[in-house]
């Protein structure tokens, strides 16, 4: 059996970190006006992300989360403004139960609403995150002590879990 030789990993310097953050902020800035109350689709078409409503996917929270990270890093109100424009879409989604029959509440609501509340004290975001947590708790099955991943709660043929 051939032994693999590990190559040394280049040192991560402050300069490299600053460059990476600068590049990430440029990408976010280029999309602020495109994705204000809509969200990047889950996959690109010809390297372009189309606009999606916040109604069915599990990854919308990542875009809002990047905005909150940018705001936390820079203090620039443009990131906060767009991130806060998105909070009502999360509220509508959980109140109308749009595409939330799954376990991915954390992906949706932690980087969006929990972050909003922690960074700004936004009460709508707090209440929305709590509704999402309640939704997730309903998926808990005492028998077996697990959270049902997807599908109709309690369906005997649908006890998928991760």
């Amino acid at each position: 059996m051939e032994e693999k030789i590990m190559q040394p990993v280049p040192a991560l310097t402050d300069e490299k970190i600053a460059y990476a953050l600068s590049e990430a902020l440029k990408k976010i800035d280029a999309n602020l006006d495109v994705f204000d109350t809509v969200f990047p689709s889950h996959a690109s078409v010809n390297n372009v992300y189309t606009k999606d409503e916040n109604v069915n996917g599990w990854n919308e929270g990542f875009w809002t989360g990047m905005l909150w990270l940018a705001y936390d890093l820079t203090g620039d109100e443009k990131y906060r403004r767009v991130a806060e424009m998105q909070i009502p879409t999360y509220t509508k989604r959980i109140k109308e139960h749009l595409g939330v029959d799954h376990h991915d509440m954390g992906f949706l609501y932690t980087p969006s609403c929990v972050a909003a509340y922690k960074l700004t004290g936004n009460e709508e975001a707090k209440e929305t995150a709590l509704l999402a947590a309640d939704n997730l708790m309903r998926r808990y099955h005492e028998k077996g002590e697990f959270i049902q991943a997807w599908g109709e709660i309690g369906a005997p043929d649908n006890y998928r879990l991760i």
Side-chain angles (χ1 to χ4, degrees), residues 3-14:
E3 182 179 335
K4 290 186 178 183
I5 299 174
M6 299 295 290
Q7 298 296 320
V9 177
L12 187 60
T13 64
D14 288 344

Side-chain angles (χ1 to χ4, degrees), residues 76-113:
D76 194 323
E77 291 292 322
K78 67 184 176 186
Y79 303 117
R80 177 180 177 164
R81 186 185 82 255
V82 175
E84 285 186 331
M85 289 170 61
Q86 296 176 354
I87 298 302
T89 72
Y90 292 96
T91 305
K92 175 181 170 68
R93 183 170 178 173
I94 196 66
K95 284 186 174 181
E96 294 181 15
H97 205 78
L98 302 171
V100 293
D101 285 331
H102 52 73
H103 67 286
D104 291 327
M105 297 296 96
F107 287 148
L108 287 167
Y109 290 91
T110 301
S112 59
C113 295

